[in-house]
Amino acid sequence: MTLRLHDTLSGETRPFTPIEPGHARIYSCGPTVYGPAHIGNFRSFLFADVLVRYLRFRGMRVTWVMNFTDIDDRIIQRANEAGESIEALTERWIAQFTADAAALRMTTPDVLPRATRHIDEIASLIGALEAGGHAYRTDDGSIYFRIASWPTYGRLARLDPAQMRVGERVEADDYGKDDVRDFALWKGPRPNEPTWDTSIGPGRPGWHIECSAMSMRHLGETFDIHTGGVDLIFPHHEDEIAQSEAATGRDFVRTWLHCAHLRLGGEKMARRVGNIARVADLLAAGVSPRALRYVLISVHYRQAVDYTDSSLAAASAAVDRLDSLVTALETYRESAGNSDPSLPEVLAAGRQKFEAALDDDLNISAALAALFDLVRDLNRRIDARTLSTTDARSGLDLLRDVDRVLALLPDAPAELDRQASGLLAARKVARDERDWVRSDALRDELLARGIAVEDSRDGQRWRRVDGAR
RNA sequence: GGCGACGUGGUGAAGUGGCUUAACACGGAGGUCUGCAAAACCUCUACUCACCGGUUCGAAUCCGGUCGUCGCCUCCA
């Protein structure tokens, strides 16, 4: 089986074959660092994360690039309002993003380019567009891309440029464009705005051009996969295609992948709507980061997801179920037992189902179903005591293996602090003496410390539980 | 106005022509195990896939229509 992916441009789901055999080059549109990313943004980043993880799981080398947009209108506005430098502002929000991403176990991209560090590449790209007759200058020193010069403009979004509604408001700075639908490649210098002196003159980059410049700089003129939220299809990605292909004369991206929206209250989560939830706030409120990750990745990426309290609670319970199994397998001891003869087959079949599901355009719901089928099967065998200690280890190994893609399992066996392990030891003594009152009191005390203790045939087993769920 | 996606149980969601009288997760009811608890396991929890009509030996799955929801056409993940 090979991985099949749904390409937005062609509308087809087709086998993924990287340009360089065994090496996938992926670009993901990253955050504009003018404020905190919300969990809707993170849905699209985590979708790319799962893709990258899965390709690596399948043995492929992956170069993953995710940019930071660290110069744009909103950033300038925020910095001016706060009387803060743009650098200080963007550094702060990059740090916040990095922390949020880490909490959600997002793989760190191989390259995290910033627009302000690719001004030369941007300028030379715009220069090439000018030379090719695809761009023109206006009186204020801005440079625009001429949509009329690109016949296939609108193909990605399936929009007919002639039918496009033109926004009612025409901003003052857009004055002088040949066509209102033309988009800015370069913005001429203005008071209270940063300016770079470049080969194409002074000014600052427009939004779309940075992604073309950075992706091509780090991945080549044609690369394998470009990801983003569906709201980036138009105009952002449409513009990227036009300007990149017009500049190089080559196909820009082989496969376009777009993630559907996260909704809250029935609407797309968006700052404008005001229905946003931030990672840091949720974590501060006691939400388990792994449960949050589960909510964000557990539905197919092209399907809109509603974020609700009950979806979070359900995710939390599902993650707990995984945790319980991990703990049970880790503590399982059956010295007398022989190996369970049917186990290897069950594990192999489970893994195969998991892979087959993800191969089908990253059908993660089906992959999770395969995982949970395996969870039930392993729990049964634990209950029935048919496993050997080694078998339990094999089961655990498989869970850890598929978790390279999911990143939902608890971290490798955590150490208990001295006090907690003391309490646990004391409880064992109490239990050996059948002192139930003391045993129960110690259990309560451990729970108050966030450690749930359960008694099993393998003795006491414990796992960490998060406070509020 | 143009374009597109979607509508499956109490909830989320997979399935897109026969293997499904519909996975998996959450929730609910009952039971087993256990000093208790928790976890786990077992049984049950949609004769049905928005609605109407059609194609077919056969449809949740294909076609047409109706209703509804959401998204894009403007900054947006």
Side-chain angles (χ1 to χ4, degrees), chain A residues 412-435:
Chain A
E415 295 292 313
L416 281 180
D417 61 50
R418 190 170 301 171
Q419 284 165 325
S421 57
L423 291 170
L424 208 59
R427 184 164 181 275
K428 183 178 188 314
V429 173
R431 293 187 63 72
D432 289 344
E433 293 168 356
R434 303 184 70 79
D435 182 349

Side-chain angles (χ1 to χ4, degrees), chain A residues 23-188:
Chain A
H23 182 187
R25 292 182 171 84
I26 304 176
Y27 184 87
S28 299
C29 281
T32 299
V33 284
Y34 70 103
H38 60 251
I39 59 175
N41 300 324
F42 272 104
R43 185 189 181 201
S44 80
F45 303 142
L46 291 180
F47 136 68
D49 173 48
V50 170
L51 170 69
V52 168
R53 287 172 172 274
Y54 185 59
L55 288 168
R56 287 178 175 155
F57 175 82
R58 296 288 249 107
M60 198 170 282
R61 182 183 160 207
V62 177
T63 300
W64 186 27
V65 179
M66 179 182 283
N67 72 293
F68 286 117
T69 296
D70 61 348
I71 181 68
D72 91 323
D73 294 351
R74 290 171 294 177
I75 291 172
I76 294 167
Q77 190 188 336
R78 291 289 173 95
N80 286 158
E81 283 169 5
E84 186 177 17
S85 76
I86 284 173
E87 292 70 25
L89 180 89
T90 55
E91 285 298 342
R92 193 150 49 80
W93 290 117
I94 285 171
Q96 179 64 251
F97 174 84
T98 304
D100 290 349
L104 293 175
R105 298 183 169 186
M106 187 186 101
T107 306
T108 303
D110 302 288
V111 189
L112 288 157
R114 304 184 188 188
T116 57
R117 295 181 188 174
H118 292 74
I119 300 295
D120 288 346
E121 286 90 340
I122 290 169
S124 63
L125 194 56
I126 295 172
L129 289 169
E130 270 195 293
H134 296 286
Y136 60 92
R137 288 172 185 262
T138 54
D139 292 343
D140 66 349
S142 296
I143 303 176
Y144 288 89
F145 184 88
R146 190 188 310 281
I147 284 172
S149 80
W150 198 247
T152 57
Y153 190 81
R155 203 175 130 213
L156 180 73
R158 290 168 173 69
L159 286 173
D160 177 359
Q163 295 283 331
M164 277 165 51
R165 261 192 188 175
V166 175
E168 285 77 40
R169 59 195 167 82
V170 176
E171 289 175 28
D173 60 344
D174 286 345
Y175 235 73
K177 287 200 289 189
D178 287 2
D179 186 315
V180 269
R181 291 163 305 209
D182 289 345
F183 58 91
L185 295 165
W186 188 255
K187 297 189 176 191

